[in-house]
PDB file of all heavy atoms in Angstrom:
ATOM      1  N   HIS S   8      -3.315  53.671 -41.842  1.00 98.00           N
ATOM      2  CA  HIS S   8      -3.133  55.007 -41.234  1.00 98.00           C
ATOM      3  C   HIS S   8      -3.913  56.061 -42.017  1.00 98.00           C
ATOM      4  O   HIS S   8      -3.481  56.514 -43.074  1.00 98.00           O
ATOM      5  CB  HIS S   8      -1.637  55.356 -41.236  1.00 98.00           C
ATOM      6  CG  HIS S   8      -1.300  56.604 -40.487  1.00 98.00           C
ATOM      7  ND1 HIS S   8      -0.548  56.608 -39.332  1.00 98.00           N
ATOM      8  CD2 HIS S   8      -1.626  57.901 -40.709  1.00 98.00           C
ATOM      9  CE1 HIS S   8      -0.416  57.844 -38.890  1.00 98.00           C
ATOM     10  NE2 HIS S   8      -1.060  58.652 -39.713  1.00 98.00           N
ATOM     11  N   HIS S  10      -6.861  59.579 -41.768  1.00 98.00           N
ATOM     12  CA  HIS S  10      -7.440  60.656 -40.943  1.00 98.00           C
ATOM     13  C   HIS S  10      -8.773  61.095 -41.561  1.00 98.00           C
ATOM     14  O   HIS S  10      -8.884  62.205 -42.087  1.00 98.00           O
ATOM     15  CB  HIS S  10      -6.483  61.853 -40.863  1.00 98.00           C
ATOM     16  CG  HIS S  10      -5.168  61.535 -40.224  1.00 98.00           C
ATOM     17  ND1 HIS S  10      -5.017  61.449 -38.865  1.00 98.00           N
ATOM     18  CD2 HIS S  10      -3.956  61.272 -40.761  1.00 98.00           C
ATOM     19  CE1 HIS S  10      -3.739  61.158 -38.588  1.00 98.00           C
ATOM     20  NE2 HIS S  10      -3.080  61.029 -39.715  1.00 98.00           N
ATOM     21  N   GLU S  94      -2.000  58.396 -33.223  1.00 98.00           N
ATOM     22  CA  GLU S  94      -0.686  58.536 -33.789  1.00 98.00           C
ATOM     23  C   GLU S  94       0.212  59.254 -32.787  1.00 98.00           C
ATOM     24  O   GLU S  94      -0.113  60.386 -32.396  1.00 98.00           O
ATOM     25  CB  GLU S  94      -0.828  59.333 -35.106  1.00 98.00           C
ATOM     26  CG  GLU S  94       0.442  59.789 -35.728  1.00 98.00           C
ATOM     27  CD  GLU S  94       0.216  60.510 -37.077  1.00 98.00           C
ATOM     28  OE1 GLU S  94      -0.941  60.702 -37.518  1.00 98.00           O
ATOM     29  OE2 GLU S  94       1.222  60.881 -37.691  1.00 98.00           O
ATOM     30  N   HIS S 151       5.070  54.694 -39.117  1.00 97.00           N
ATOM     31  CA  HIS S 151       4.247  55.206 -40.207  1.00 97.00           C
ATOM     32  C   HIS S 151       5.023  56.173 -41.108  1.00 97.00           C
ATOM     33  O   HIS S 151       5.902  56.891 -40.636  1.00 97.00           O
ATOM     34  CB  HIS S 151       3.005  55.840 -39.567  1.00 97.00           C
ATOM     35  CG  HIS S 151       2.657  57.199 -40.026  1.00 97.00           C
ATOM     36  ND1 HIS S 151       2.077  57.433 -41.256  1.00 97.00           N
ATOM     37  CD2 HIS S 151       2.761  58.407 -39.443  1.00 97.00           C
ATOM     38  CE1 HIS S 151       1.856  58.738 -41.371  1.00 97.00           C
ATOM     39  NE2 HIS S 151       2.260  59.352 -40.308  1.00 97.00           N
ATOM     40  N   ASP S 201      -2.285  58.095 -44.940  1.00 98.00           N
ATOM     41  CA  ASP S 201      -2.157  59.360 -44.205  1.00 98.00           C
ATOM     42  C   ASP S 201      -3.127  60.376 -44.817  1.00 98.00           C
ATOM     43  O   ASP S 201      -2.878  61.580 -44.787  1.00 98.00           O
ATOM     44  CB  ASP S 201      -0.729  59.916 -44.208  1.00 98.00           C
ATOM     45  CG  ASP S 201      -0.444  60.798 -42.991  1.00 98.00           C
ATOM     46  OD1 ASP S 201      -1.210  60.731 -42.005  1.00 98.00           O
ATOM     47  OD2 ASP S 201       0.539  61.567 -43.021  1.00 98.00           O
TER      48      ASP S 201
HETATM   49 NI1   NI X   1      -0.959  60.785 -39.820  1.00 92.22          NI
END
Side-chain angles (χ1 to χ4, degrees):
H8 188 114
H10 298 281
E94 170 177 2
H151 131 75
D201 206 17

